[in-house]
Amino acid sequence: MASGIENTRLIVPLTCPTIDEMAAGILAAASAGADLIECRLDYLETPPTPAELDKLLADSPVEIIATNRPTDQGGHFTGSEADRLAILTAAATAGAKLIDIERGVSSGDWPDAKIIHSHHDFDRCPDDLGTIVDELAATSADIPKVAFMPAGPDEALVALDIIRQTPKPTIALAMGEAGLLSRILARKVGAFGTFASLSAGAGSAPGQPTISELIDLYRWESISATTNVFGVIGCPVGHSMSPAIHNAAFDATGYDGVYLPILIQPGGDNFNRFIDGLLDRPWLGWRGLSVTLPHKENALACVGGDNCDELSRRIGAINTITIDPDGTLRGDNSDYAGAIDALCNKMQIAREGLAERAVAVLGAGGAARAIVAALCYYGAETTVHNRTLSRAETLAEEFGCKFAAIDKASSTEAQIIINCTSVGMHPNTGATPLPAIPPSVEVVFDTIYNPLETLLLADAKKANCLLVSGLDMFVNQAVTQFELWTGQPAPRDVMRQVAASRLG
Ligand code: NAP
């Protein structure tokens, strides 16, 4: 490992257009928790004078990295090379403790500053990345740094390999959303530092989290070499509430874990490459994955039906992967379990108590599929109602239940209604899949969780029905995942509170 884990620095880059704004940024970054601040001098509208740099750096409460990046390395400095280096010399004289210079550039006479020797590729992961890193590490520079754009999160893992294998304290970062894992797990593998922006949109490279996300959401200070790693795979995945919920659960229970969003483009090959990347690196301590659209079927294919429970196999999709320390994968579908348990808990019955109860399911998409499979498995008298009748027919035939048009749900004689359509979901909160609650209905379950109370649930409340919300289902599936992965009881109330507060 390149450096002691306790030394992994949280570095905040400042890309301010004026010296005054940069001075204010230094104070703000220091109070936000930065261990180091990178002053991107190339972003200044006017090249700084030595006197300005003296004033800027004299009072900094934390050590400063001075960087004056030329345009061919993704920077903004357009002057001559001599002028560029002269500014760095003035920064070193003014007290910058680290100077960043680019690959192929020789350092100046900066005896009191450490040298970061860097290479950036904003387009790809270079084929000769290993050679580049070796070349940077072989110079007299103190800290080799590479930043590259990965094709996917499997390539982002390469950054962690570099940090582990390079004999000097190293910075290696994969950029973009798919590279986020390399920025957060930098601490686990003992990188010299990772970069986090002061606020959203203020970063110096694509994919930088904010410092408050790193500290508060990903619990930066709790990450160590022993931390177990989890994540949610999806495309898109940036909107997912799961990182907030699971990281809060780890925090509340003192479990040594971190949970990350993993963007994987559609396609089984992309999915499999990432899983192979995790299994090739047992030192990562990757123990579990949530899986969301469009990868739930890919997940089942990757894990293999023999390693999943019977209902997951029938559904043909899983949303949970558990990775044992020996690399064995297990698949579960906590979507169906979360939904059925939300319903049964509210009705105060066991799953088996669903037998012969009449249930009308609205919708025939992915959520309906998991719920219909489970209802039929537990013997409920299920009817699938869908706008596109042929989809209802296909689903009903597969699981051996009835089907009908969506408008026939208004005259259902079912005791339980479960909405699995997206009708009523934000932003169309004025819509409902049922114009009125039929008289036979005693329980209404809306799988939608945004808004927390849909129009359908509001109508059901007026009709004195028992209500089951999409939030109950969502929290249940996260609770199931937490317990599968950690073997500990989940802090359900904390998880629910985080989800509810995120949903406003
Ligand atoms: P999906 O596969 O795209 O299916 C959407 C369903 O909604 C289809 O049956 C579709 O009917 C129907 N639909 C869409 N617009 C409609 C309209 N204007 N009128 C009537 N029917 C309409 O989506 P999904 O993944 O199953 O998700 C469905 C719902 O489940 C979403 O609202 C989501 O919030 C919820 N969900 C909740 C959780 C949770 O944890 N609480 C988890 C997963 C999903 P057609 O077949 O005719 O297009």
Side-chain angles (χ1 to χ4, degrees):
M1 193 174 293
S3 72
I5 195 148
E6 63 283 4
N7 295 328
T8 301
R9 289 127 180 111
L10 210 41
I11 307 169
V12 170
L14 295 176
T15 56
C16 313
T18 68
I19 283 278
D20 286 347
E21 285 172 83
M22 204 164 265
I26 287 175
L27 296 179
S31 72
D35 300 312
L36 280 175
I37 295 169
E38 182 190 40
C39 288
R40 285 294 302 265
L41 304 174
D42 52 306
Y43 276 78
L44 292 169
E45 282 164 352
T46 337
T49 64
E52 285 174 326
L53 288 170
D54 278 343
K55 193 160 170 268
L56 180 72
L57 302 188
D59 299 328
S60 174
V62 296
E63 293 186 346
I64 297 290
I65 304 172
T67 301
N68 198 17
R69 189 90 64 227
T71 48
D72 65 356
Q73 276 290 297
H76 290 241
F77 190 81
T78 51
S80 72
E81 186 63 3
D83 287 351
R84 193 172 79 83
L85 295 175
I87 290 170
L88 289 176
T89 299
T93 308
K97 291 285 183 250
L98 296 105
I99 306 286
D100 182 314
I101 54 168
E102 298 71 21
R103 181 179 173 216
V105 175
S106 303
S107 65
D109 182 16
W110 307 319
D112 295 330
K114 288 196 161 126
I115 304 301
I116 299 174
H117 210 170
S118 64
H119 179 75
H120 299 78
D121 192 323
F122 286 85
D123 297 322
R124 64 187 69 78
C125 176
D127 293 339
D128 56 347
L129 186 63
T131 312
I132 293 170
V133 175
D134 289 347
E135 187 190 302
L136 295 171
T139 68
S140 60
D142 302 275
I143 301 139
K145 175 189 173 193
V146 283
F148 60 89
M149 187 62 77
D154 51 303
E155 260 185 13
L157 295 170
V158 172
L160 303 176
D161 296 338
I162 289 169
I163 294 164
R164 292 182 85 240
Q165 290 159 9
T166 310
K168 287 183 174 178
T170 300
I171 300 171
L173 296 167
M175 295 185 276
E177 197 179 344
L180 181 66
L181 68 87
S182 71
R183 298 181 180 277
I184 297 169
L185 298 180
R187 181 169 169 117
K188 182 176 164 88
V189 293
F192 176 81
T194 201
F195 287 77
S197 64
L198 191 51
S199 57
S204 57
Q208 273 171 12
T210 64
I211 186 164
S212 74
E213 282 169 342
L214 262 191
I215 292 174
D216 300 330
L217 173 59
Y218 298 110
R219 301 163 60 243
W220 172 255
E221 274 151 30
S222 74
I223 298 173
S224 74
T226 61
T227 298
N228 300 298
V229 186
F230 303 86
V232 52
I233 290 177
C235 183
V237 77
H239 66 289
S240 172
M241 291 194 293
S242 296
I245 292 171
H246 282 286
N247 284 316
F250 295 151
D251 197 44
T253 54
Y255 181 82
D256 185 13
V258 63
Y259 185 105
L260 320 171
I262 313 289
L263 177 71
I264 299 186
Q265 295 302 322
D269 289 351
N270 295 331
F271 188 91
N272 291 344
R273 259 203 317 280
F274 181 66
I275 301 295
D276 287 345
L278 301 189
L279 297 180
D280 286 346
R281 296 171 176 85
W283 46 265
L284 267 172
W286 209 296
R287 293 284 161 263
L289 289 157
S290 310
V291 184
T292 186
L293 299 178
H295 287 295
K296 293 184 184 188
E297 289 85 3
N298 296 333
L300 185 128
C302 174
V303 169
D306 289 349
N307 299 315
C308 301
D309 65 289
E310 186 189 344
L311 251 177
S312 298
R313 279 200 299 277
R314 287 194 193 190
I315 294 165
I318 55 171
N319 73 331
T320 310
I321 297 177
T322 306
I323 307 173
D324 289 340
D326 67 358
T328 307
L329 302 179
R330 204 177 63 243
D332 289 278
N333 190 315
S334 74
D335 280 336
Y336 88 72
I340 291 299
D341 291 343
L343 179 64
C344 292
N345 292 345
K346 208 44 92 70
M347 293 177 71
Q348 299 185 317
I349 56 171
R351 288 182 184 182
E352 290 69 24
L354 288 169
E356 292 173 18
R357 302 222 186 211
V359 186
V361 174
L362 314 183
R369 183 177 173 79
I371 290 175
V372 167
L375 289 170
C376 294
Y377 183 81
Y378 288 104
E381 297 284 339
T382 309
T383 305
V384 182
H385 297 263
N386 196 46
R387 177 179 63 179
T388 308
L389 193 61
S390 58
R391 288 186 81 192
E393 182 176 9
T394 307
L395 185 59
E397 273 179 6
E398 190 173 346
F399 293 105
C401 65
K402 297 183 198 145
F403 69 95
I406 188 109
D407 54 355
K408 293 278 188 295
S410 302
S411 52
T412 183
E413 294 185 354
Q415 178 199 8
I416 302 166
I417 285 206
I418 307 179
N419 176 36
C420 299
T421 74
S422 46
V423 180
M425 189 163 78
H426 178 83
N428 300 316
T429 52
T432 174
L434 263 189
I437 306 294
S440 63
V441 174
E442 294 168 19
V443 184
V444 175
F445 176 3
D446 199 335
T447 63
I448 292 172
Y449 55 73
N450 186 10
L452 290 170
E453 185 178 272
T454 58
L455 184 53
L456 176 66
L457 285 183
D459 288 344
K461 194 196 273 178
K462 284 183 205 142
N464 289 322
C465 295
L466 204 57
L467 309 179
V468 188
S469 75
L471 184 64
D472 296 332
M473 170 179 170
F474 183 77
V475 171
N476 269 357
Q477 60 84 26
V479 162
T480 303
Q481 292 182 330
F482 182 97
E483 294 181 349
L484 277 169
W485 293 332
T486 67
Q488 299 179 17
R492 176 183 293 274
D493 291 347
V494 170
M495 296 167 89
R496 189 183 174 89
Q497 205 176 358
V498 171
S501 76
R502 289 237 152 192
L503 292 166

